Amino acid sequence: VMDSLSAIDNMYEYSLMAFNNDVFKVSLEKSEPHFDIENRLNNIIQYLTLAVYRYVCMGIFEKHKLMLSFQMTAKVLEGEGKLNTKALEFFLKGNIVLGKSTHEKFFPWMP
């Protein structure tokens, strides 16, 4: 998500070294420790996700923060396998079919 922000505004470019030092290492140190490896990884992922959001929000315009939230949410859901890609594409693009649609309707009440 951080890398794709440069397509919005070219000043949204982040240094890998800065990310490594300011976000990643801090997330490893400050995330809640746990003896079970799966729980430890989940704690790191949770902390890192919030740390990335906060880190990026410090350097972007207010008008782009909602877009960042949406992109991060979509990526998290995609990583968990919970993202309905057809619904997302419909939400982002709308109905772009010029002729009659051969696809099933999302809801029976829709024309």
Side-chain angles (χ1 to χ4, degrees):
V1 172
M2 288 176 64
D3 187 45
S4 66
L5 287 174
S6 63
I8 308 300
D9 194 316
N10 61 0
M11 73 179 209
Y12 294 155
E13 293 189 14
Y14 296 91
S15 161
L16 183 58
M17 184 184 296
F19 172 79
N20 189 35
N21 293 332
D22 298 340
V23 181
F24 187 71
K25 286 182 181 178
V26 172
S27 296
L28 292 178
E29 294 167 0
K30 291 192 174 185
S31 60
E32 187 178 331
H34 202 282
F35 292 109
D36 182 41
I37 189 75
E38 282 192 39
N39 288 335
R40 175 69 176 139
L41 288 174
N42 284 334
N43 292 344
I44 292 170
I45 290 169
Q46 294 265 330
Y47 194 95
L48 182 62
T49 303
L50 183 59
V52 166
Y53 177 77
R54 288 179 176 162
Y55 181 74
V56 173
C57 278
M58 284 191 314
I60 64 174
F61 294 123
E62 193 67 33
K63 65 183 180 180
H64 295 141
K65 289 181 182 178
L66 184 60
M67 181 199 55
L68 171 69
S69 300
F70 180 77
Q71 284 184 327
M72 286 187 69
T73 302
K75 287 293 183 185
V76 167
L77 289 174
E78 182 180 44
E80 294 175 351
K82 297 179 182 177
L83 183 66
N84 183 341
T85 53
K86 287 184 180 181
L88 178 63
E89 285 181 20
F90 182 79
F91 174 73
L92 294 174
K93 298 176 185 176
N95 188 4
I96 58 171
V97 178
L98 297 176
K100 282 195 166 190
S101 176
T102 58
H103 300 287
E104 291 185 31
K105 300 174 187 174
F106 280 111
F107 301 100
W109 51 266
M110 291 181 89

